[in-house]
Amino acid sequence: MLCHSYVPQSFGIGIVILLLKGINLEKSNMDNYRAITRPTFAKVSESYLLLIMQIFLHTSELQFGFKKGTGCRDAISVLYYTVHYYTVNIACLNLSKAFDEVNVFGLADKLMSRSIPKVLIGLILDWYNKVYVAVRWNGILSSPRCVLAGVRQGGVLSPYLFNVCVNDVITKLELSTLGCWVAGRYVGVLM
């Protein structure tokens, strides 16, 4: 796979299962479901790719989501101490569906800018060109549909690739010096 930047067609196929987010939620409202992708043998390969690529996937300390050891509670803590240090205006953006909107070619451009070996970028592009999903509902499996955008649902690499895509927003704001600085540390954007 690495030598030829090629993955088998079956690596791109996922089966999506919809889970109701809560027992008392209305079953007819699709917003009340969380889609998960059933684990496949491709996850083992993605785990290996992550080991190889991890040194290239570093993102800002102000990116709290989808990182081991950090999360929303850490971002809230930084925000809490910032608003106690300053009187601030706060703007929030909802990125709840952002995983689904990642442009694969934009992702490839960001990976190239990090000097990731071309063979790895080619492998990821080949993989993403083969992403198909079928939905299992009430024991019935739909026909597979091609996924044209977004990072792979349930993929081991997906959170890392998403973070790489949004990292430029944090970096550019920090370089602009707009926003808050607390104790010499930039906190003008928290993600």
Side-chain angles (χ1 to χ4, degrees):
M1 287 172 49
L2 286 174
C3 289
H4 301 288
S5 295
Y6 174 84
V7 296
Q9 191 73 31
S10 61
F11 273 39
I13 298 172
I15 298 174
V16 176
I17 301 166
L18 300 173
L19 299 176
L20 195 59
K21 292 178 183 177
I23 298 169
N24 298 324
L25 295 175
E26 176 60 41
K27 292 181 181 179
S28 63
N29 183 347
M30 288 307 295
D31 291 334
N32 292 336
Y33 288 88
R34 174 175 292 110
I36 62 164
T37 304
R38 199 176 91 202
T40 63
F41 56 92
K43 287 190 174 188
V44 174
S45 297
E46 265 193 279
S47 296
Y48 178 70
L49 273 177
L50 179 58
L51 284 173
I52 296 171
M53 294 176 61
Q54 204 157 19
I55 59 171
F56 299 105
L57 301 177
H58 175 74
T59 55
S60 171
E61 291 179 4
L62 296 170
Q63 167 59 277
F64 295 97
F66 309 117
K67 283 185 172 179
K68 194 174 237 174
T70 68
C72 191
R73 64 177 153 61
D74 301 296
I76 291 170
S77 177
V78 171
L79 177 63
Y80 175 84
Y81 288 108
T82 302
V83 298
H84 279 80
Y85 192 83
Y86 287 112
T87 300
V88 298
N89 293 317
I90 298 173
C92 299
L93 297 175
N94 180 354
L95 297 177
S96 62
K97 301 288 184 190
F99 251 52
D100 301 333
E101 301 296 328
V102 171
N103 180 297
V104 176
F105 299 106
L107 169 62
D109 184 54
K110 292 192 183 299
L111 295 175
M112 284 187 272
S113 72
R114 290 170 173 257
S115 302
I116 292 177
K118 289 179 187 175
V119 69
L120 296 174
I121 296 170
L123 182 71
I124 290 170
L125 286 176
D126 185 59
W127 203 325
Y128 274 70
N129 283 322
K130 296 175 179 172
V131 175
Y132 285 81
V133 296
V135 177
R136 176 165 286 146
W137 182 258
N138 287 334
I140 299 171
L141 191 62
S142 73
S143 58
R145 300 284 182 207
C146 182
V147 177
L148 302 173
V151 291
R152 282 180 13 89
Q153 187 69 250
V156 174
L157 268 175
S158 297
Y160 296 90
L161 296 176
F162 175 77
N163 282 351
V164 165
C165 285
V166 298
N167 192 65
D168 286 352
V169 173
I170 299 170
T171 304
K172 287 179 181 178
L173 281 169
E174 187 171 6
L175 290 173
S176 76
T177 68
L178 297 172
C180 299
W181 292 77
V182 175
R185 181 176 176 205
Y186 181 73
V187 290
V189 59
L190 305 173
M191 191 171 293

